[in-house]
Each structure stands twice: as C-alpha cells, then as structure tokens.
Amino acid sequence: MADMVGLIGTGDMGQGLLVRLIKAGVPVRAFDVSAANLDAARKAGAEIAPTAADAARGMHIIHLLVRTDDQVLAAALGPDGALEGAGEGSRLLLHSTILPDTTRRVAEAAAKKGVTVIDAPITAVPDRVHAGEATFLVGGPDDV
C-alpha cells in the first residue's frame, strides 16, 4: 500500500482525484468546507479530517484542489490551512488554475516551513479526471 496523502478540496475535481487515488491503493485523508463533499469523500473510502491543517499533518504529499485564488490562499495560508499542518519536507501540489502571483505567495510561505510547492493544474473536466484521463501541467524545483 502506498503512503497516505492529504487532499484538500473534494468537490468535482477533487472527488475525481480522490477516487482515482483510492482505486490505485493510495489511502487519502481529505478535508472540504462542504459537508456534502466530505460525505461523498467518506463514502469513497477517504479518512476525513476536521481541517485542512489536519488533512496535511504528517503527509509527504498534499493535494490542494479548490476553485479560486482566494480559496487557494485561504486553504493554504489561512487559519487551520494546509501550511499550518504541513511538515518540513512535504510537497504541496496546487491543482487549481490560479495566478502566478498566488502560486508564488503560497510557495514563499511554504519555503519558510521547508515545504515545497508544486504548481500542477489539471487540464481536464471532472468526468475525465474520474476516468483517469487528466493531464497535469507540472512546474516546480528541478530537484523535486
């Protein structure tokens, strides 16, 4: 079995990735602000975390799938955000289509904790993600 990963944002795109990970034998600890999304994540087999920080705590890989720049900033940098729980050496993958300045802002805050941010937006619609046909555009430090 693969190491557990954290997943923050279990809406349409996040649910697709969550299901694909679980089908691949990767355990997932998930968080979302929506109770309905969390219920769907639980039914899909995810462990549920009470906050984004708890979803990130102890995880080497943390997936963040929310819609807007403001949501990325809140989920990553806000109170109980992913970086509050992320430990040194972990990787925070930003899967949202966001502004470069938002990615830089999260990466700068993450670097202070020894966390690496990977910009990895998904170029697919939820149905393609559920089918395992998503394409990720990945950018980050060469050594990672």
Side-chain angles (χ1 to χ4, degrees):
M1 182 180 289
D3 290 339
M4 181 178 274
V5 300
L7 194 147
I8 301 161
T10 61
D12 293 335
M13 297 292 273
Q15 184 71 9
L17 181 57
L18 182 147
V19 168
R20 297 303 303 179
L21 288 165
I22 290 172
K23 283 183 179 179
V26 178
V28 176
R29 183 182 308 144
F31 171 74
D32 197 288
V33 295
S34 161
N37 288 352
L38 281 181
D39 188 49
R42 180 182 295 108
K43 288 177 182 172
E47 175 184 311
I48 302 305
T51 67
D54 290 316
R57 193 164 282 111
M59 300 298 146
H60 181 68
I61 302 293
I62 306 150
H63 297 275
L64 180 58
L65 297 102
V66 295
R67 292 180 184 212
T68 69
D69 291 84
D70 287 342
Q71 289 173 347
V72 168
L73 293 171
L77 307 178
D80 292 323
L83 288 181
E84 186 177 301
E88 184 174 349
S90 61
R91 312 304 194 225
L92 177 61
L93 285 73
L94 302 180
H95 296 301
S96 306
T97 303
I98 54 176
L99 295 170
D101 285 343
T102 301
T103 301
R104 279 189 212 85
R105 192 166 158 194
V106 174
E108 288 169 4
K112 293 175 185 174
K113 289 197 69 176
V115 174
T116 301
V117 169
I118 304 296
D119 187 24
I122 303 171
T123 64
V125 295
D127 288 344
R128 309 245 340 139
V129 176
H130 279 275
E133 299 170 348
T135 299
F136 295 82
L137 303 176
V138 180
D142 289 340
D143 62 334
V144 177

